[in-house]
Amino acid sequence: MKSPLPLILLTASYLIFVLKLGPKYMETRKPFKLTTFITVYNILQVTYSCALLFIGLNLISTYGLLSSSCLMETEDTKWNVTVGIYYYFFAKVTELMDTIFFVLRKKYNQVTFLHIYHHSLMMWATWISLKYEPSYGTVFLGTLNSFVHIIMYTYYALSAFPDLTKYLWWKKYITMMQLVPFNV
């Protein structure tokens, strides 16, 4: 957290791969299947999002939904909030893999400006929050986002099985859930 350099290098590598090197590499290749790998990845994301949801709900039940500014003055509270945001930051880094999988599977229609912008921005916004002022005010949104990710990555894991796709009628509701934090 001392320097933004590792995050700058990670972001640059991510952007170069998903926008240039990955598509160029895949140009003459068939799409990778990656079904088992992506299923395991999605299950791990669900598990990690459940842990983040638990951490967030624990913070909210302990300190309240909206805390006073003097709450963050205690070292114990500041430590708990900072640790929670750090775990959340790690999730934002691992979620960059979503785009890499799209590229390796030649699902370029999923690699939109909004998708890339969102993943990059969320990672940077979380890092900035950690670096400069871990704030209790971000706990609710991170908790809400973790809940949405549980639903979303569960859907992705299940959709890897063709026999289950006819039961996955709730895809359109995931997008609606993703937009809720922007309307809060």
Side-chain angles (χ1 to χ4, degrees):
M1 298 306 300
K2 285 183 181 180
S3 166
L5 187 59
L7 203 55
I8 290 169
L9 293 173
L10 178 62
T11 305
S13 299
Y14 169 72
L15 293 173
I16 289 167
F17 181 82
V18 300
L19 296 173
K20 294 287 180 202
L21 293 181
K24 184 75 174 159
Y25 175 77
M26 294 305 295
E27 206 170 64
T28 58
R29 291 174 174 71
K30 290 183 179 179
F32 289 101
K33 296 274 187 227
L34 304 174
T35 305
T36 304
F37 188 80
I38 290 174
T39 302
V40 170
Y41 166 80
N42 287 326
I43 291 168
L44 290 172
Q45 289 293 63
V46 168
T47 305
Y48 198 75
S49 293
C50 284
L52 289 172
L53 179 67
F54 176 78
I55 290 167
L57 290 175
N58 188 38
L59 286 168
I60 291 168
S61 69
T62 302
Y63 304 115
L65 188 58
L66 300 170
S67 73
S68 66
S69 59
C70 56
L71 176 66
M72 285 300 286
E73 291 177 11
T74 68
E75 286 302 313
D76 191 40
T77 305
K78 192 163 190 143
W79 172 257
N80 290 336
V81 170
T82 302
V83 167
I85 296 171
Y86 186 80
Y87 290 147
Y88 185 78
F89 169 71
F90 180 73
K92 300 303 112 189
V93 172
T94 64
E95 289 164 12
L96 296 177
M97 294 300 295
D98 293 355
T99 323
I100 292 167
F101 295 148
F102 288 146
V103 170
L104 294 176
R105 292 172 30 213
K106 288 187 155 180
K107 302 240 178 195
Y108 299 122
N109 62 318
Q110 302 280 15
V111 185
T112 63
F113 171 79
L114 184 60
H115 177 88
I116 294 168
Y117 176 77
H118 169 75
H119 281 280
S120 301
L121 180 70
M122 289 301 296
M123 184 176 61
W124 273 97
T126 307
W127 184 85
I128 289 167
S129 173
L130 272 172
K131 175 75 174 168
Y132 296 105
E133 187 55 43
S135 166
Y136 186 78
T138 61
V139 170
F140 173 71
L141 288 176
T143 303
L144 183 61
N145 182 257
S146 297
F147 174 74
V148 171
H149 279 209
I150 291 167
I151 307 296
M152 184 181 76
Y153 284 110
T154 298
Y155 172 84
Y156 291 154
L158 294 173
S159 67
F161 301 97
D163 294 343
L164 295 178
T165 54
K166 61 186 170 199
Y167 301 108
L168 301 176
W169 51 266
W170 34 283
K171 180 181 182 177
K172 65 180 177 182
Y173 298 107
I174 294 172
T175 303
M176 290 168 60
M177 289 173 66
Q178 289 171 315
L179 296 175
V180 167
F182 298 107
N183 294 312
V184 172

